Amino acid sequence: MEITTEQASELANQVRQAHRLCVGFYQRLLPSLDNFGSAFQCKFKSWDPLHFNRPCIPSTNPSQKYAWDFVPMVGAKFVYANGEGESTEIGELILEIDVLLDGALDRDYRKNNNIKGQPDSTSIPDAGSYLRVYLYRAPQDLRKAMHELWKSCDLPEIGLNHFTSVGSGLEAIGIKFDLSDFLVSEDELILNLKSLAGLLEVDP
């Protein structure tokens, strides 16, 4: 499709402004995720793209990869934990926060809607922006490190409002909420999860 010089200039301007908007948004979002982790006495451990791959290595031709690989924050998983040992103590936690800035890119959504291959950015439907939060805990002392046990666990079902067994000796609870709610009412959502997890401090 051919475009005019005027159209090309406008496109470049839109991309420039979009990148600046994204950076400003990340500068607000990322500290909020750290704050969420800190509310459960958990420290940052790792992050990974949820839907696609990280940007390719220098020797790989980017044109041979999905263009979506170059916007990894469109869907990303952030992991926080409060344990460091080679074994797990009762009560240790791992907090996984899945940030889905475009719900139409979620693997389950694409599968259910028969979206195959690289999603077409001009035609995929609007499926909202949301967070999925999973809180894992150790109900007893375990010989392996919590992080190693967590990697082999199942995901808990969203919305059950109580802990369930997810394998490897761990339990977990999962909630989902709109990104807009997180940006406006982060503290309220933290209290909600703490309440569900039985972690609210009770005044004597």
Side-chain angles (χ1 to χ4, degrees):
M1 176 181 175
E2 295 184 359
I3 60 175
T4 66
T5 300
E6 182 179 353
Q7 290 172 327
S9 179
E10 178 61 23
L11 176 61
N13 179 61
Q14 290 175 351
V15 170
R16 183 169 61 253
Q17 295 302 320
H19 276 89
R20 293 178 180 181
L21 181 62
C22 285
V23 170
F25 177 73
Y26 299 153
Q27 288 173 330
R28 175 171 180 168
L29 174 67
L30 295 174
S32 293
L33 297 178
D34 288 344
N35 182 59
F36 206 108
S38 295
F40 292 85
Q41 288 76 51
C42 291
K43 297 180 180 179
F44 173 80
K45 293 298 179 182
S46 65
W47 82 276
D48 286 290
L50 270 176
H51 313 310
F52 306 105
N53 297 316
R54 292 178 181 270
C56 57
I57 60 175
S59 59
T60 299
N61 185 349
S63 68
Q64 304 304 309
K65 309 296 288 185
Y66 277 11
W68 290 105
D69 289 354
F70 299 92
V71 284
M73 281 288 292
V74 74
K77 173 173 67 178
F78 298 82
V79 180
Y80 298 80
N82 66 354
E84 298 282 355
E86 296 182 358
S87 60
T88 300
E89 295 182 1
I90 185 171
E92 279 190 33
L93 301 174
I94 283 184
L95 182 70
E96 176 185 334
I97 306 175
D98 294 351
V99 179
L100 297 100
L101 300 183
D102 190 335
L105 299 177
D106 185 57
R107 284 192 176 91
D108 288 341
Y109 183 91
R110 283 186 283 156
K111 180 180 179 180
N112 294 336
N113 289 273
N114 200 33
I115 300 174
K116 299 179 179 179
Q118 178 166 207
D120 183 348
S121 63
T122 65
S123 64
I124 54 175
D126 185 359
S129 303
Y130 54 90
L131 275 71
R132 293 188 302 238
V133 179
Y134 305 105
L135 183 65
Y136 297 80
R137 73 178 180 190
Q140 59 188 3
D141 292 341
L142 298 165
R143 292 185 177 181
K144 290 186 177 180
M146 179 81 166
H147 192 266
E148 292 300 317
L149 297 169
W150 165 77
K151 288 192 293 186
S152 61
C153 282
D154 298 324
L155 286 171
E157 184 177 341
I158 292 286
L160 290 183
N161 295 336
H162 59 81
F163 279 96
T164 58
S165 174
V166 289
S168 299
L170 302 182
E171 299 175 337
I173 189 172
I175 62 173
K176 174 182 174 181
F177 43 82
D178 289 342
L179 177 63
S180 57
D181 291 335
F182 178 70
L183 296 175
V184 173
S185 307
E186 175 190 339
D187 290 342
E188 183 178 333
L189 296 171
I190 289 173
L191 287 174
N192 180 38
L193 182 55
K194 281 190 169 184
S195 177
L196 294 173
L199 296 174
L200 283 179
E201 295 181 0
V202 179
D203 292 334

